[in-house]
Amino acid sequence: MFSNVEDLVKVQQELLKATNNVATTAFEAAKKLAELNMQTAKAGFEESASQMKALISAKDPKAVTELLQQISTQFTNPEGGKAAAYAKKVYEISSATGNELTGLIEKQIAATQQQLLVAVDALAKNSPPGSEGVVNLIKQGVVNVNSAYDQIAQGTKQLVELMENNAANATKAATATRKR
């Protein structure tokens, strides 16, 4: 497949670069999720501290009872808005990362397909007379595989778009129901 060592080294360098890009993208996504979780934990801690401060500074038993009822209501009937906002942010990070990784993978697949076509052309040039039919069969196989991949990729994109639309519609419906 490789006519010389330089071509092999070049392909290995490209694969290493692609692997590094995927790892960097995944690390950045993990970093964003960790930051989101830290912000969420901090907000929860601040809310709890505020509630404790209000309880400590209550002047009479009635005020303490009312505050405890409010806190109890928050735990028994939690506000869906905070959870929905958190879930939306997690989804946005995951979706963006998935899109970026898909782009990187598609780029690598395209490069690999190009290398395969170059290898097939080299095979055709170096093949003995009378083997044109086999070479054409191999070329057609490569074209068919590329076409099948394109169809699968398109179908996957349509499925992801459908899922994203359904998730957005479900979020809108839940928000509308909560407002009633």
Side-chain angles (χ1 to χ4, degrees):
M1 181 171 170
F2 302 103
S3 59
N4 56 44
V5 174
E6 290 82 21
D7 289 343
L8 177 61
V9 169
K10 182 181 175 186
V11 168
Q12 288 177 338
Q13 288 174 339
E14 289 171 6
L15 287 173
L16 180 62
K17 182 179 177 183
T19 302
N20 188 41
N21 287 341
V22 168
T24 300
T25 300
F27 179 77
E28 288 298 318
K31 181 179 169 184
K32 289 176 184 176
L33 287 172
E35 289 171 357
L36 174 63
N37 287 334
M38 289 297 293
Q39 291 170 353
T40 303
K42 182 179 177 184
F45 178 75
E46 289 172 352
E47 184 177 354
S48 295
S50 173
Q51 291 169 343
M52 287 301 293
K53 186 176 180 180
L55 281 171
I56 291 170
S57 64
K59 301 291 183 194
D60 59 20
K62 183 180 178 186
V64 171
T65 303
E66 289 174 0
L67 286 170
L68 288 173
Q69 285 176 341
Q70 288 174 357
I71 293 170
S72 175
T73 301
Q74 284 181 332
F75 287 112
T76 57
N77 299 320
E79 179 185 328
K82 290 179 185 177
Y86 175 79
K88 182 179 178 186
K89 288 178 184 176
V90 169
Y91 176 77
E92 288 171 355
I93 292 169
S94 300
S95 180
T97 302
N99 289 338
E100 190 171 344
L101 289 174
T102 298
L104 291 171
I105 291 168
E106 286 175 351
K107 182 179 175 183
Q108 187 59 42
I109 287 172
T112 302
Q113 289 172 343
Q114 183 60 35
Q115 291 168 353
L116 183 58
L117 289 173
V118 168
V120 170
D121 285 341
L123 176 68
K125 290 177 185 175
N126 297 323
S127 64
S131 61
E132 293 84 13
V134 173
V135 171
N136 287 335
L137 183 65
I138 292 172
K139 282 185 179 181
Q140 188 59 44
V142 170
V143 169
N144 290 341
V145 167
N146 289 344
S147 176
Y149 170 76
D150 289 341
Q151 289 176 351
I152 291 170
Q154 185 62 28
T156 302
K157 286 180 183 179
Q158 289 174 351
L159 179 62
V160 168
E161 288 173 6
L162 179 65
M163 291 170 51
E164 287 176 348
N165 288 338
N166 287 343
N169 290 338
T171 302
K172 288 178 185 175
T175 303
T177 302
R178 204 176 319 115
K179 289 181 180 178
R180 290 180 190 167

